[in-house]
Amino acid sequence: MVAIKAPRGVRDILPDESWKWAYVLEVASEVADLFGYREVHLPIFEDTALFARGIGDTTDVVEKEMYTFTDRSGRSLTLRPEATASMVRCYLEHGMQREKQPAKLWCSGPMFRYERPQKGRYRQFWQLDFEAIGVQDPMVDVEIVALSLELFRRLGLSNLEVMVNSVGCPRCRPTYREELKAYLAPHLDELCDSCRARFDRNPLRILDCKEEGCIEITQGAPDVVEHLCEECRSHFDQFLNGLEAIGASYRLNKRLVRGLDYYTKTAFEVTSGKLGAQNAVCGGGRYDHLAEAIGGSFTPGVGFAAGIERVILSMEEEGASFGERPSIDAFVVTAEASARPKAVSFLHELRRNGLRCDMDYAGKGMRSQLKAASSSGARFACILGSEELSRGAVAVKDLSSGKQQEFPLEKAAERIKAVLKEQAGG
Ligand code: HAM
């Protein structure tokens, strides 16, 4: 029988990497606090209709990328491809419109999309998702961009570009859509197959196509910003002024239309110069009509999501720090097998005192245990030799300097902590 492997596009996050994830999540949580965003944990699967209506059924995500299944009661459920629709559902379901507005919420966790896997693109990937729901003020759009930039700054990312656009609203977009179609119509035969299919259903997405031929054709396409209604224009101007006020440099990108249908007005993306084709570390924007699309009343909102895998890849490329890799303080070594019960109780005592420690459970000899102590990254090896034990003591070897001292067993935890504290301070 062939050994079963993880499905294509799905990865195990092994200990060599998981500590980096923990660091990114910790920094995200600090930044969330700093900006007043409260964490929620959302379900991994939802009613399929939430995404079909919320994201839009002419989007690639809904048309081709969802993991949809029927549960035992015959209900159609979908593994979440993103978190915004769920967050708005959560807001509506829990009556958060009655609380202080905007409701500022964040979450993290895995998302699922049936995409072609490549570097930085997976079928299960993690997002950090921040949403401000309940107000239309363009300054909240500024806050959302500021939050993403502060997050990336704290993570040590600098090779970034912020791209912004406005995709209008249901009032001004139809006119733009028709103008765009009129412009594209004579070139229909030259567009790629996907764009030809998008022409009637979702022509704005053609602007976002990465095919050479389509890029060339759309070069002279009408600019969405020039077709904004007064309200969208004013919102966009205030948003850009706000970005300038916080000193954020950005590039206007009229091709930035985003892949999800719920966007209105602000659209933005942050890309990393250190990633390949999949270079968006985060993307977001405003979604003032998403709540109505899923059966709620008018509820404006704005937010963004960052892909954790891409953030980590960019951090690695930039040589950014992930903080200190967790290791252990002490490794308990026994000279004789008969000392193992003593070792277990000593280990337990050290741990109760807050020292991170471990011992060998594979029945190794003393030399191998000392080797294991070194490779464990422990600062100290605590050697329980028969002579020391007869004196009620333990030999504590500093594995970086090689210096060895003897401590009374019951004082060992305290003394080791004192040494660690002194070194951390000095
Ligand atoms: P999105 O642009 O589809 O937006 O995804 C946001 C980020 O998730 C991307 O910039 C990228 O870093 C990461 N990402 C997306 N797909 C993949 C994948 N297959 N593999 C790895 N990383 C991926 C949204 O999801 C919106 N919900 C963002 C938002 C929040 N808009 C408003 N609020």
Side-chain angles (χ1 to χ4, degrees):
M1 201 168 71
V2 182
I4 297 170
K5 297 204 169 130
R8 191 165 131 77
V10 165
R11 304 161 65 238
D12 298 306
I13 313 300
L14 300 177
D16 267 351
E17 211 187 335
S18 63
W19 66 282
K20 299 181 177 178
W21 284 57
Y23 177 72
V24 170
L25 285 166
E26 191 184 311
V27 174
S29 167
E30 276 166 25
V31 174
D33 271 357
L34 201 63
F35 283 74
Y37 286 66
R38 294 170 302 147
E39 187 170 19
V40 289
H41 297 292
L42 297 171
I44 301 276
F45 59 83
E46 298 264 11
D47 260 317
T48 301
L50 175 70
F51 303 118
R53 291 195 216 141
I55 297 173
D57 51 16
T58 62
T59 56
D60 285 354
V61 170
V62 172
E63 269 189 343
K64 319 180 206 165
E65 296 171 3
M66 294 207 303
Y67 282 92
T68 297
F69 61 98
T70 307
D71 77 358
R72 286 172 189 275
S73 70
R75 197 178 288 124
S76 178
L77 300 171
T78 294
L79 298 185
R80 60 180 183 192
E82 59 110 46
T84 311
S86 300
M87 200 73 106
V88 174
R89 181 211 36 81
C90 170
Y91 170 98
L92 295 171
E93 192 167 331
H94 298 283
M96 292 191 203
Q97 61 272 29
R98 293 189 293 273
E99 300 169 12
K100 179 169 97 52
Q101 302 297 297
K104 303 209 282 188
L105 305 166
W106 80 285
C107 71
S108 66
M111 309 291 153
F112 306 84
R113 294 184 194 174
Y114 187 80
E115 292 194 89
R116 196 167 45 77
Q118 64 181 87
K119 186 181 172 199
R121 187 163 72 193
Y122 312 98
R123 291 183 173 167
Q124 173 174 329
F125 58 97
W126 277 58
Q127 280 186 346
L128 299 167
D129 184 88
F130 293 83
E131 311 287 355
I133 308 176
V135 305
Q136 282 184 291
D137 183 354
M139 291 311 122
V140 185
D141 307 40
V142 176
E143 176 174 282
I144 279 290
V145 176
L147 195 161
S148 73
L149 295 180
E150 182 57 19
L151 173 67
F152 297 141
R153 191 187 69 79
R154 286 181 180 231
L155 291 172
L157 293 181
S158 54
N159 207 311
L160 299 177
E161 181 169 44
V162 183
M163 287 182 301
V164 300
N165 197 15
S166 173
V167 294
C169 69
R171 207 171 330 136
C172 50
R173 198 155 41 204
T175 324
Y176 174 68
R177 203 180 129 110
E178 287 319 307
E179 277 212 27
L180 180 64
K181 282 179 77 177
Y183 169 85
L184 292 171
H187 304 284
L188 207 52
D189 292 345
E190 304 152 56
L191 293 173
C192 72
D193 290 348
S194 325
C195 284
R196 265 204 304 279
R198 285 170 183 147
F199 181 75
D200 277 317
R201 310 193 65 191
N202 205 343
L204 265 71
R205 286 288 287 157
I206 298 176
L207 295 172
D208 186 40
C209 181
K210 304 287 181 285
E211 294 285 329
E212 275 303 322
C214 300
I215 294 180
E216 213 166 289
I217 293 164
T218 50
Q219 213 89 51
D223 188 340
V224 59
V225 171
E226 282 163 20
H227 293 76
L228 296 178
C229 60
E230 218 169 287
E231 185 192 306
C232 287
R233 179 75 243 186
S234 154
H235 190 279
F236 195 46
D237 287 342
Q238 291 179 67
F239 169 59
L240 297 183
N241 284 339
L243 289 184
E244 273 149 38
I246 63 161
S249 41
Y250 61 85
R251 183 161 72 82
L252 292 176
N253 181 352
K254 68 173 186 181
R255 288 175 181 280
L256 183 69
V257 288
R258 312 273 304 127
L260 313 159
D261 270 358
Y262 49 61
Y263 290 109
T264 47
K265 298 191 169 78
T266 310
F268 83 100
E269 252 172 43
V270 180
T271 56
S272 163
K274 294 283 183 179
L275 294 175
Q278 302 304 319
N279 63 353
V281 280
C282 86
R286 181 161 277 286
Y287 45 85
D288 290 346
H289 301 287
L290 170 54
E292 291 153 275
I294 61 170
S297 53
F298 173 70
T299 311
V302 60
F304 80 93
I308 297 189
E309 290 84 353
R310 291 192 199 173
V311 166
I312 290 178
L313 279 171
S314 326
M315 288 173 71
E316 287 170 343
E317 291 292 329
E318 290 207 34
S321 161
F322 290 93
E324 200 188 324
R325 183 173 183 162
S327 64
I328 58 172
D329 300 312
F331 197 94
V332 177
V333 171
T334 49
E336 325 247 333
S338 57
R340 283 166 63 79
K342 188 78 214 161
V344 172
S345 74
F346 181 60
L347 187 71
H348 189 58
E349 191 54 29
L350 293 183
R351 286 176 176 157
R352 284 177 60 142
N353 276 279
L355 287 165
R356 302 167 299 174
C357 49
D358 208 352
M359 66 178 270
D360 165 61
Y361 294 107
K364 288 181 180 160
M366 186 156 152
R367 270 169 63 120
S368 304
Q369 288 180 55
L370 282 167
K371 260 199 207 144
S374 299
S375 56
S376 73
R379 184 61 207 276
F380 299 101
C382 298
I383 306 161
L384 298 173
S386 42
E387 261 181 53
E388 287 90 352
L389 279 179
S390 67
R391 288 196 293 275
V394 51
V396 176
K397 182 172 179 183
D398 184 325
L399 290 170
S400 55
S401 67
K403 246 177 51 194
Q404 191 161 314
Q405 301 179 66
E406 195 172 299
F407 297 142
L409 269 175
E410 70 284 359
K411 291 261 164 61
E414 208 179 286
R415 303 284 277 275
I416 293 173
K417 275 166 74 175
V419 178
L420 286 171
K421 198 169 162 197
E422 194 183 298
Q423 281 165 353

